Amino acid sequence: MTKKHTQGKANTPSSQAERARKRLLRAASRDGDSLLIQYDNSAAGYDEDDVEEMRDEHGANVITRHTEDSLFKRFVGAFINPFAIVLFVLAAVSFFTDVIWVELGEPDFTAVIIIMTMVIVSGMLRFFQELRSDNAAKRLTEMVETTVSTSRKFKDKESGVTFSRKREIPMDEVVVGDVVHLAAGDMVPADVRIIQAKDLFVSQSSLTGESEPVEKFAGSVARSNSNPLELNNLAFMGTNVISGSAVALVITVGDDTILGSIAQQLQVKAPPTSFEKGVNSVSWVLIRFMLVMVPIVLLVNGFTKGDWLQAFLFALSIAVGLTPEMLPMIVSANLAKGAVSMSKKRVIVKNLNSIQNFGAMDVLCTDKTGTITQDKVILEYHLDIHGEENVDVLRQAFLNSYYQTGLKNLMDLSVIEYARKAELTSLWEDYKKVDEIPFDFNRRRMSVAVEGSSGQVELITKGAVEEMLVISDQAGYQGAAEPMSGELREKILATCRRLNEQGMRVLGLAQKTVTLPATLSAADESGMTFIGCLAFLDPPKESAGMAIKALGEYGVKVKVLTGDNDSVTRTVCHSVGLDAGRILLGSELESMNDDVLKTAVDEVDIFAKLSPSQKARIVSALRNDGHTVGFMGDGINDAAAMKAADVGISVDTAVDIAKESANIILLEKDLMVLEEGVIEGRKIYANIIKYIKMTASSNFGNMFSVLAASAFLPFLPMLPIQILALNLIYDISCIAIPWDNVDLNYLRKPRKWDASSISRFMLWVGPTSSVFDITTYILMFFYICPLFAGAPWADLNPEARVLFISLFHTGWFVESLWSQTLVIHMIRTPKIPFIQSRASGQLALMTTLGIAAGTVIPYTWLGTQLDMTRLPLYYFPYLGGIILAYMLLATAMKKVFVWKYGELL
């Protein structure tokens, strides 16, 4: 290749964008042939060597959105959160006091090891769960690919002959200078210069905000305009072809495109969701609570015991106990587990927090085609002007659908399939196509001109019935034509209305004999003969009714927002169980102010003949009314509504801008998958809120217990190292919470974040555990320990008092572990635990192992290292009585709390 096209690369993004803009302007002012020469290409396209050379010179067709974090950075990030930082600080202090600042004896690493174990367990679990989630999403994302048709040259390996052919390639493989072929429905793969066009209309709404498609032409334009977006022979990445066809030359790719130059605007971080705000607020409340209470504990113990070093170490261990270090892991593991679970259902979760928003969703707005219906159009009838089946109508419809070169939509494919079954497909052998007038949104019709064996040329037009009647002044029946009277026109419209009411979409068909000019245009679609109608049915999915009913049972109201007509929409919606009594049309919506609309969207479930902006306005009105809204769409006209919704949902077959706007991408366009997403979101919320409420209430109760013990006991209620060990065992028991079962009744309602319920819960349930902690203090200090030591505290010598204290510490350690771990089972459900509601096998196993380990430790070498004493057998009946009483009181408090506030979690 020569280097006539070479452009020096810019040193800065701004100068690079300016060079790309100038390149587009130069291309717009030159004719197609000279551009092909400039880029050393031809209609045959590049060969593999040319492609690599152009890619090396101009870069890949990929927009740099954000660089993916390295594995190391993600690993470090898993350990960076407020709780981990607190623990790191506490570990550093412990290292200084227990290892460096040691006057007598050996350095003691135990406390440092326990604190760091907590950090490592939490961080590692978070890291691996998020990694697993990302890998699952990547595997599914690889299945979603957008392609473009290009001309490329290939060399036959055997003969060595080079030949050219059109080939579908992924968009990111397009290079500058490529010749691409565009048709209706295609995404424009890069910024291109149109060099051939046939009635080409492109939607540029994603770049310019224009609601109407823009017509594009192949001719060169003068270089008087400095804005490439205003030039009608350029098309841009991120836009899509609405109708017509074109051949184009790629001028800029990737970051050099107009879309690439504004990519930084797409990277603005979204504001935190209510869920993120809620978790953050709870986190800082707990940290502030710890920062206030720890100095109090230090001062109380320092002044009452006189040993300030021990008081400091005890306060340090209390700080560790009050730090909910597992919260980031619980949140991340829940969200990641949900993403992995959804990936198994062929759902790509682009934003982990959107899974929880799924659970909060109480209104789902969706289009009609492909979600409620099968997205598989069937030709039901081919009727003449008198409403009778007519094979001549089918013949003309087949020729029109077979020979049109734009996007063959589902109706065209159904006509061809019907004709194949009727053995009419050989018709194409008797005709040849001579011209075509592609579909566009203004005409709402398309035409093909075919020449028969006799040499006669027929123009066959298919489109919206109303438009077809406007251009037809005659009606054809059995080879004869008659004037299109008002009575006959009304008869045809009445037939169409009847078919619409049966849920069918109706197209009109007309024809006329023409003498070919140089090129046919839309002006030739006049004076035609209307010959009949085609009635199509997009039948409802068998699962749609069940899915809508199931979503309703989970508190999610389904609303249909469609651009289709109201008759078809009413029939389809009624057949799947939606209330079709009232339909709000786009024309009615235009006259409503926001207050009236806010009332209307709550009362109406079906909206028809909507524009893209009207869909977004409905979504915004629902959100302003306090609803959490999901929107499911797949077209460019859905992108605004998806961005306006709390949860944007798209499908893998959607246009790129729809997938870009979505939080969730479904590989199967099925409402049943959404139901599973709602359930998954609510499970995630339930398991996160369980841990938060357990931690908040436990911490609040522990403060009462510790302060009471510090004020009245002549010694520390537990050694710092014992408190650390207790917290480590409890934290490990909590690892399984993300995999816990959730009561079906809880899943039935949408769940929004409510921080006030956490504070109420903490104040109600927290003191319950304190009652039994203090009961344990009294029992241990006045009965069990004196019985074990042989005398009350006041009568014991120093050596016996050491044994007394060790037994007291051990007894409270075991009781605290039992009560703190069993509270997981008490709080996880408003029902009676173990009987009416059972934890998952994972959670039951982890809590059982935790209790067993903590009970056995005093009898092992580890117990000796922790300054524990073997508990006498008569301790355990008292332990059993305390725990049973605690569970009964906790159950009673749950019932009172639910009675007063409506729900537990």
Side-chain angles (χ1 to χ4, degrees):
M1 293 179 65
T2 63
K3 296 287 183 179
K4 294 179 183 178
H5 53 270
T6 300
Q7 306 289 336
K9 290 200 171 184
N11 295 322
T12 65
S14 58
S15 59
Q16 186 172 343
E18 178 61 20
R19 286 174 181 268
R21 186 185 69 83
K22 289 180 178 178
R23 198 189 313 167
L24 287 170
L25 294 175
R26 282 196 296 271
S29 66
R30 301 186 64 178
D31 64 82
D33 291 338
S34 64
L35 279 172
L36 286 170
I37 293 171
Q38 177 187 344
Y39 285 94
D40 294 324
N41 205 352
S42 67
Y46 286 142
D47 60 24
E48 290 183 9
D49 293 337
D50 295 336
V51 168
E52 287 303 317
E53 185 176 335
M54 296 301 283
R55 186 173 290 122
D56 289 341
E57 184 177 347
H58 295 283
N61 191 31
V62 177
I63 291 179
T64 306
R65 302 202 185 278
H66 62 273
T67 55
E68 186 174 331
D69 291 338
S70 67
L71 203 61
F72 176 75
K73 187 174 180 180
R74 293 169 66 184
F75 179 79
V76 172
F79 293 88
I80 304 301
N81 60 74
F83 305 125
I85 291 170
V86 168
L87 290 183
F88 278 127
V89 171
L90 296 177
V93 172
S94 183
F95 181 78
F96 179 77
T97 56
D98 292 350
V99 179
I100 296 177
W101 189 32
V102 178
E103 297 179 357
L104 297 172
E106 293 294 322
D108 187 358
F109 289 90
T110 310
V112 177
I113 291 172
I114 290 176
I115 295 173
M116 292 308 299
T117 300
M118 292 177 182
V119 176
I120 291 169
V121 168
S122 175
M124 291 297 288
L125 283 171
R126 183 182 180 189
F127 170 71
F128 282 113
Q129 279 296 318
E130 291 182 350
L131 187 64
R132 185 182 174 209
S133 166
D134 289 347
N135 289 340
K138 283 179 183 176
R139 284 194 296 271
L140 289 180
T141 304
E142 289 170 359
M143 301 169 65
V144 181
E145 187 174 70
T146 307
T147 61
V148 62
S149 175
T150 61
S151 292
R152 289 279 173 90
K153 286 187 285 194
F154 300 89
K155 182 177 288 187
D156 186 274
K157 293 181 179 180
E158 295 182 2
S159 63
V161 175
T162 299
F163 62 94
S164 173
R165 72 177 184 205
K166 290 182 185 178
R167 181 185 175 192
E168 290 287 331
I169 64 170
M171 278 194 181
D172 57 8
E173 293 183 10
V174 168
V175 297
V176 170
D178 254 333
V179 175
V180 296
H181 302 265
L182 303 173
D186 284 347
M187 292 297 297
V188 178
D191 288 356
V192 301
R193 163 71 157 85
I194 308 299
I195 55 178
Q196 292 179 29
K198 178 72 172 178
D199 298 305
L200 179 67
F201 285 83
V202 175
S203 171
Q204 296 187 166
S205 58
S206 58
L207 289 179
T208 65
E210 295 174 274
S211 58
E212 292 298 319
V214 179
E215 188 169 9
K216 299 290 184 178
F217 303 93
S220 59
V221 296
R223 293 183 62 177
S224 57
N225 197 321
S226 62
N227 184 0
L229 289 170
E230 296 178 4
L231 301 180
N232 61 17
N233 62 357
L234 298 176
F236 308 96
M237 176 185 276
T239 65
N240 70 303
V241 180
I242 299 297
S243 63
S245 58
V247 178
L249 186 72
V250 175
I251 306 300
T252 61
V253 295
D255 289 337
D256 287 347
T257 61
I258 299 292
L259 185 64
S261 68
I262 60 174
Q264 291 300 318
Q265 299 174 28
L266 302 177
Q267 295 182 47
V268 176
K269 187 176 181 180
T273 64
S274 60
F275 170 70
E276 292 172 302
K277 289 177 182 176
V279 172
N280 290 337
S281 66
V282 169
S283 300
W284 286 109
V285 164
L286 294 173
I287 288 176
R288 284 194 293 268
F289 181 66
M290 180 266 292
L291 293 175
V292 169
M293 295 307 298
V294 167
I296 295 174
V297 172
L298 170 64
L299 293 174
V300 169
N301 280 289
F303 283 117
T304 58
K305 312 300 182 296
D307 188 339
W308 284 95
L309 177 59
Q310 278 299 309
F312 175 76
L313 294 176
F314 182 73
L316 183 71
S317 61
I318 289 296
V320 174
L322 291 179
T323 304
E325 60 277 350
M326 300 300 282
L327 180 57
M329 186 283 294
I330 295 290
V331 172
S332 295
N334 264 293
L335 295 174
K337 171 186 165 291
V340 172
S341 176
M342 295 306 293
S343 73
K344 293 176 182 176
K345 300 176 177 70
R346 295 172 62 78
V347 177
I348 299 171
V349 179
K350 290 173 60 181
N351 179 354
L352 285 181
N353 286 322
S354 60
I355 306 177
Q356 192 279 329
N357 292 341
F358 242 146
M361 181 174 69
D362 62 339
V363 175
L364 171 66
C365 297
T366 178
D367 64 355
K368 174 176 65 67
T369 304
T371 50
I372 294 174
T373 64
Q374 293 181 12
D375 207 9
K376 182 181 179 182
V377 173
I378 299 169
L379 176 62
E380 289 285 316
Y381 303 112
H382 42 94
L383 307 176
D384 58 29
I385 58 174
H386 298 297
E388 303 293 332
E389 292 272 328
N390 191 310
V391 71
D392 288 333
V393 174
L394 179 60
R395 286 194 186 98
Q396 299 297 327
F398 169 75
L399 290 172
N400 177 282
S401 294
Y402 181 82
Y403 279 115
Q404 74 112 336
T405 57
L407 177 69
K408 280 188 169 57
N409 61 35
L410 295 172
M411 287 183 283
D412 288 309
L413 296 175
S414 68
V415 168
I416 294 169
E417 177 62 18
Y418 194 103
R420 184 188 66 78
K421 291 179 179 178
E423 299 183 350
L424 294 177
T425 50
S426 59
L427 269 175
W428 69 269
E429 297 175 351
D430 301 325
Y431 292 86
K432 68 176 182 179
K433 175 184 169 184
V434 292
D435 207 347
E436 176 179 7
I437 310 171
F439 176 86
D440 70 54
F441 279 90
N442 294 323
R443 292 163 38 246
R444 298 173 65 203
R445 59 183 181 265
M446 63 82 51
S447 302
V448 296
V450 293
E451 183 180 348
S453 55
S454 64
Q456 181 174 289
V457 177
E458 292 182 34
L459 182 67
I460 306 170
T461 305
K462 176 177 86 239
V465 173
E466 297 86 349
E467 303 299 326
M468 299 303 297
L469 289 172
V470 168
I471 63 171
S472 299
D473 54 18
Q474 289 188 307
Y477 178 66
Q478 294 185 347
E482 59 181 281
M484 177 66 75
S485 64
E487 181 182 351
L488 182 55
R489 184 186 302 271
E490 183 54 39
K491 181 179 179 181
I492 292 169
L493 289 172
T495 299
C496 293
R497 284 194 294 270
R498 175 174 55 82
L499 293 169
N500 283 158
E501 289 167 1
Q502 295 173 26
M504 298 185 200
R505 298 181 66 181
V506 184
L507 297 180
L509 201 65
Q511 66 176 40
K512 75 173 183 180
T513 302
V514 295
T515 301
L516 280 183
T519 305
L520 284 172
S521 69
D524 294 297
E525 296 173 330
S526 60
M528 304 198 73
T529 300
F530 189 93
I531 61 174
C533 298
L534 304 170
F536 301 88
L537 181 65
D538 186 2
K541 288 180 177 175
E542 294 180 5
S543 63
M546 293 185 294
I548 291 169
K549 182 180 178 182
L551 285 169
E553 290 173 353
Y554 286 96
V556 180
K557 188 83 170 176
V558 176
K559 294 181 183 287
V560 175
L561 279 59
T562 180
D564 208 347
N565 73 65
D566 50 324
S567 297
V568 174
T569 304
R570 175 178 283 107
T571 304
V572 172
C573 291
H574 178 75
S575 68
V576 296
L578 288 171
D579 181 10
R582 184 185 172 193
I583 296 181
L584 190 64
L585 301 179
S587 55
E588 299 174 76
L589 195 105
E590 281 299 313
S591 62
M592 293 181 176
N593 62 36
D594 289 343
D595 291 333
V596 175
L597 179 63
K598 190 175 178 180
T599 303
V601 295
D602 240 3
E603 297 172 349
V604 180
D605 293 336
I606 304 172
F607 304 81
K609 293 188 174 180
L610 298 176
S611 68
S613 61
Q614 289 171 337
K615 290 183 180 183
R617 191 179 171 208
I618 290 170
V619 170
S620 297
L622 286 165
R623 290 190 69 191
N624 292 337
D625 199 30
H627 295 286
T628 301
V629 184
F631 187 92
M632 181 173 178
D634 61 356
I636 275 190
N637 59 341
D638 295 320
M642 290 166 67
K643 287 182 178 178
D646 294 282
V647 185
I649 308 159
S650 191
V651 292
D652 69 319
T653 54
V655 298
D656 283 2
I657 189 170
K659 288 185 281 191
E660 184 72 24
S661 304
N663 310 112
I664 306 283
I665 298 178
L666 312 181
L667 295 183
E668 294 176 3
K669 197 173 182 182
D670 189 344
L671 286 175
M672 292 304 292
V673 177
L674 297 182
E675 180 210 4
E676 293 169 356
V678 166
I679 294 171
E680 198 67 45
R682 292 179 190 174
K683 284 181 180 178
I684 288 167
Y685 176 82
N687 287 330
I688 290 173
I689 205 71
K690 281 177 195 176
Y691 178 79
I692 290 174
K693 288 191 172 183
M694 288 171 197
T695 302
S697 60
S698 177
N699 287 357
F700 191 69
N702 284 344
M703 276 303 93
F704 281 112
S705 305
V706 168
L707 287 174
S710 299
F712 297 106
L713 287 175
F715 50 83
L716 293 177
M718 199 183 298
L719 293 177
I721 193 66
Q722 293 168 348
I723 292 179
L724 294 174
L726 176 67
N727 276 285
L728 179 59
I729 295 171
Y730 173 73
D731 284 347
I732 292 174
S733 298
C734 290
I735 287 172
I737 288 177
W739 288 267
D740 189 25
N741 300 328
V742 179
D743 294 338
L744 184 60
N745 290 343
Y746 187 83
L747 298 175
R748 294 291 186 189
K749 288 174 60 180
R751 299 291 165 181
K752 293 185 180 180
W753 187 266
D754 181 11
S756 64
S757 71
I758 297 170
S759 58
R760 288 196 304 262
F761 190 89
M762 183 172 67
L763 293 171
W764 274 74
V765 179
T768 305
S769 63
S770 295
V771 170
F772 294 96
D773 283 338
I774 294 170
T775 301
T776 303
Y777 296 161
I778 294 170
L779 185 66
M780 294 296 295
F781 190 82
F782 291 105
Y783 180 69
I784 294 177
C785 289
L787 185 63
F788 186 78
W793 170 263
D795 298 335
L796 294 176
N797 59 41
E799 187 177 342
R801 284 188 173 187
V802 172
L803 184 62
F804 186 104
I805 294 171
S806 177
L807 183 65
F808 185 96
H809 289 165
T810 307
W812 191 40
F813 176 92
V814 173
E815 184 274 338
S816 293
L817 182 61
W818 275 71
S819 61
Q820 199 170 13
T821 306
L822 284 174
V823 79
I824 296 174
H825 293 272
M826 304 305 299
I827 291 176
R828 60 169 295 277
T829 174
K831 299 179 180 180
I832 299 173
F834 308 112
I835 299 173
Q836 295 178 327
S837 176
R838 295 184 179 88
S840 66
Q842 296 97 317
L843 184 60
L845 176 63
M846 293 302 293
T847 52
T848 301
L849 289 175
I851 289 173
T855 307
V856 170
I857 281 176
Y859 302 92
T860 66
W861 168 85
L862 182 58
T864 304
Q865 298 300 115
L866 295 174
D867 289 330
M868 290 183 178
T869 298
R870 292 169 177 262
L871 290 165
L873 291 179
Y874 54 79
Y875 163 83
F876 291 100
Y878 293 105
L879 174 65
I882 290 171
I883 295 301
L884 179 60
Y886 169 64
M887 293 176 69
L888 291 174
L889 181 60
T891 300
M893 291 300 292
K894 280 196 312 185
K895 297 294 183 185
V896 175
F897 186 86
V898 171
W899 171 78
K900 185 172 178 63
Y901 297 108
E903 61 185 16
L904 184 70
L905 297 177

